[in-house]
Amino acid sequence: MNSNVIYQKYFSWNFCRMAGFDLQLDNDGTYSVATFFYFCVQIGIGLVVLFRYMVMRPVDMKKILFVFLIIGSFVIARRYSGADALLETRLLIAGANDIDYRKILKVYLIVEIPMIICTMIVGYTGVITNLVYHRGDQVRMSFGFIYPTDFAAGIVFMITVWIVLRQARCTWIEIGMMIISVVLFEKFCDVRNSEIVMMILIICVVYLKIRNKCAKKGKGYIPSLLLKILCLVAPYGLAGFMILVSRFYRPDIEWMAKLNTLFSTRLSLGKEVFDRYDVQIWGQDIPMRGNGGSTEVVADYFFIDSSYVNILMRLGLVVFILVMLIISIIMIKNLNLPYMLMAMAIVCIHSVMEHHMFEAYYDVFLMLPFANFDVKDIGKRQRKCGN
C-alpha cells in the first residue's frame, strides 16, 4: 500500500471523527463530549495535512499557494470572528487534496446516515428532548435536532450527496422516496425552503434521468454551454441578490415588503445586520440568538439565516470571496458532469435562506475544490504504484 493510499484512509478517518463530533454538538446544543477530544481531532487532522504538504511531494505549486492562502486567511478570520468552523474547514479543504471525491462523499454518508437515524429515534422516543414548535396550527417537529430546519437541511444535503454518488442515475423508487420526504417535511416540519429545494432537486434528477436515457449509447448527457454558464453565474447572482436586497431593504416598498414576508423576515433581519455592523475584511464577532434549542419565545431574536450574508458579515470579505471561488473551482472542474453542477446549484439555492453553506457536517461539497474528480486517473496511478 503506497503512502498516498495510507494518507487517504487516515484523513477519511479523521474527517469521520470530526464530522460526527460536530453533528453531535449541533444536535445536542451542548458540549456533551470533552472539548479536549475535539481539540485532539483538530490537531490530528492538522498533523496529517502538514505531513501531506511537507513530506509528500507537491505536484502543483499554484495549488499549494492557493491552499496556504486559504489556510492563512481562515486563521486570520478566526482571530477576528471567533468562528471555530474556520479552523476545521481549512484543514478539511487542504487535506482533501487529490483524494477521490467519491471516498469523501461516502465517508460523509457513513457518518451522516447513522447519526441522523439515531438522532431521530432517540428524539422521537423521548430519550432526548424532541423540540416541537408551532406556526399557527402547523406542528413543526425537530426529531432530536435543535430546530426543524436543521433536521430538514441534513436530509436535503444527504440526499444530494447520494444522488451525486449515483451520478443522478436514480431509480423511480429512489425518486419516489424523495417525493415522500417532501410530503413528510410538509406534514411534520413545515420547512418551506427545504421543501422547495427538494422539489427542484427531484425535477433535476428526473430531467437528467430522461436526458441520459435519450443520449447516444455509451455516452452520457453533457450540459449545453448555456446551462454551464447559468450554473457558473448562479452563485454570484444568488449571493448578490440576497446581499443587496438585505442591505437596501425598505418596508415601505411594496414588493420588498412582500418578499420579506415570503422569506420569513430574512430581509428585515439582514437590513438590521447591515445597520448594526459594517462589512469587515477579516470578519467580526456578531452575537446571534435564534429559536433553536428551546421552544420558549426569544424576545431579542437576532439571527443571520442567509449563508451569503452570514459569511460576508461574520467571516469577512476575504473568506466570502474565497468561498465563492471554491464554488466556482468545483463547478469548473465538473462542467461536463451535470450531476455535480446540479449538486452545487442546489447548495447555492438552499443557502439563500439558510446558514449551512459553511458547515462541513452539512455542506461536504465545500471541501472538494482540490479533490480528484478524475477517478480513472487515480485508479491507473494506484495500479502503477502497485506494480
Side-chain angles (χ1 to χ4, degrees):
M1 184 180 293
N2 62 61
S3 58
N4 193 50
V5 175
I6 294 174
Y7 167 78
Q8 289 186 17
K9 290 183 179 296
Y10 183 63
F11 176 77
S12 297
W13 179 71
N14 273 285
F15 168 64
C16 179
R17 291 195 301 163
M18 177 174 282
F21 188 73
D22 270 352
L23 188 58
Q24 184 175 4
L25 293 182
D26 187 56
N27 291 342
D28 292 348
T30 59
Y31 288 86
S32 57
V33 181
T35 306
F36 178 73
F37 173 77
Y38 184 57
F39 174 75
C40 289
V41 172
Q42 289 187 321
I43 292 297
I45 293 186
L47 289 174
V48 76
V49 170
L50 183 65
F51 172 80
R52 171 68 162 179
Y53 286 96
M54 301 304 292
V55 179
M56 302 177 71
R57 293 181 180 179
V59 295
D60 189 342
M61 187 54 64
K62 290 182 180 179
K63 181 192 291 185
I64 300 300
L65 291 175
F66 189 48
V67 166
F68 280 100
L69 172 63
I70 290 175
I71 291 176
S73 298
F74 282 21
V75 169
I76 297 172
R78 163 64 178 80
R79 181 175 178 273
Y80 284 89
S81 67
D84 290 330
L86 286 160
L87 298 181
E88 61 194 44
T89 304
R90 69 185 172 114
L91 295 176
L92 293 173
I93 291 173
N97 179 47
D98 206 32
I99 293 183
D100 180 351
Y101 79 98
R102 297 181 305 180
K103 292 182 179 180
I104 297 173
L105 298 185
K106 286 176 183 177
V107 170
Y108 173 85
L109 289 183
I110 289 171
V111 176
E112 189 83 356
I113 293 175
M115 292 285 288
I116 288 181
I117 292 175
C118 290
T119 304
M120 289 177 64
I121 292 173
V122 297
Y124 196 74
T125 55
V127 176
I128 62 175
T129 304
N130 181 26
L131 298 171
V132 179
Y133 300 84
H134 294 85
R135 180 185 284 160
D137 296 330
Q138 176 69 51
V139 176
R140 309 181 70 198
M141 300 179 66
S142 300
F143 293 101
F145 284 70
I146 63 172
Y147 203 65
T149 55
D150 292 86
F151 162 70
I155 300 296
V156 171
F157 280 96
M158 182 181 69
I159 291 175
T160 304
V161 170
W162 174 263
I163 291 170
V164 170
L165 287 173
R166 297 276 288 133
Q167 297 184 359
R169 299 179 185 275
C170 300
T171 64
W172 290 111
I173 294 176
E174 290 171 302
I175 294 172
M177 294 296 291
M178 296 176 205
I179 296 173
I180 291 173
S181 69
V182 176
V183 175
L184 295 178
F185 281 167
E186 174 62 25
K187 181 175 177 60
F188 294 105
C189 303
D190 187 25
V191 282
R192 289 173 289 186
N193 182 55
S194 290
E195 291 171 24
I196 293 171
V197 171
M198 272 298 299
M199 286 189 286
I200 295 173
L201 183 60
I202 293 168
I203 292 171
C204 291
V205 171
V206 172
Y207 173 77
L208 292 179
K209 184 178 179 68
I210 294 172
R211 291 304 301 257
N212 281 322
K213 191 173 182 179
C214 296
K216 294 181 180 179
K217 192 173 182 179
K219 293 185 179 180
Y221 164 65
I222 296 179
S224 65
L225 178 60
L226 177 61
L227 188 56
K228 292 176 182 178
I229 293 174
L230 287 175
C231 288
L232 288 172
V233 171
Y236 299 93
L238 293 171
F241 170 78
M242 197 61 193
I243 291 170
L244 289 175
V245 294
S246 297
R247 172 64 182 84
F248 299 105
Y249 171 71
R250 289 177 54 186
D252 57 317
I253 298 178
E254 186 178 356
W255 70 268
M256 280 191 166
K258 289 182 178 179
L259 190 63
N260 185 49
T261 302
L262 182 65
F263 281 18
S264 302
T265 70
R266 281 170 171 79
L267 301 189
S268 56
L269 286 170
K271 173 63 174 175
E272 187 176 350
V273 173
F274 282 105
D275 288 343
R276 291 191 190 183
Y277 304 92
D278 295 322
V279 177
Q280 302 294 330
I281 297 294
W282 299 110
Q284 58 200 312
D285 181 19
I286 300 180
M288 296 192 298
R289 182 172 173 79
N291 290 322
S294 174
T295 56
E296 296 181 4
V297 178
V298 178
D300 54 342
Y301 181 89
F302 182 71
F303 198 87
I304 311 174
D305 286 289
S306 173
S307 290
Y308 303 111
V309 179
N310 191 308
I311 294 171
L312 176 64
M313 299 303 295
R314 293 181 62 240
L315 307 185
L317 181 61
V318 172
V319 173
F320 175 79
I321 293 173
L322 287 174
V323 169
M324 300 306 290
L325 286 175
I326 285 171
I327 294 171
S328 296
I329 289 171
I330 297 171
M331 285 189 170
I332 291 171
K333 280 188 171 184
N334 296 278
L335 283 177
N336 291 326
L337 299 180
Y339 51 88
M340 276 302 301
L341 292 179
M342 174 200 68
M344 296 308 298
I346 287 296
V347 170
C348 292
I349 294 171
H350 193 274
S351 299
V352 169
M353 298 285 283
E354 298 190 27
H355 58 281
H356 303 296
M357 177 180 278
F358 205 81
E359 296 172 347
Y361 45 98
Y362 283 97
D363 181 16
V364 67
F365 297 103
L366 188 66
M367 59 180 287
L368 297 183
F370 306 119
N372 199 323
F373 293 93
D374 190 358
V375 179
K376 292 181 180 179
D377 183 57
I378 291 178
K380 290 178 181 177
R381 190 160 62 247
Q382 289 179 352
R383 286 194 296 273
K384 190 180 293 183
C385 292
N387 295 331

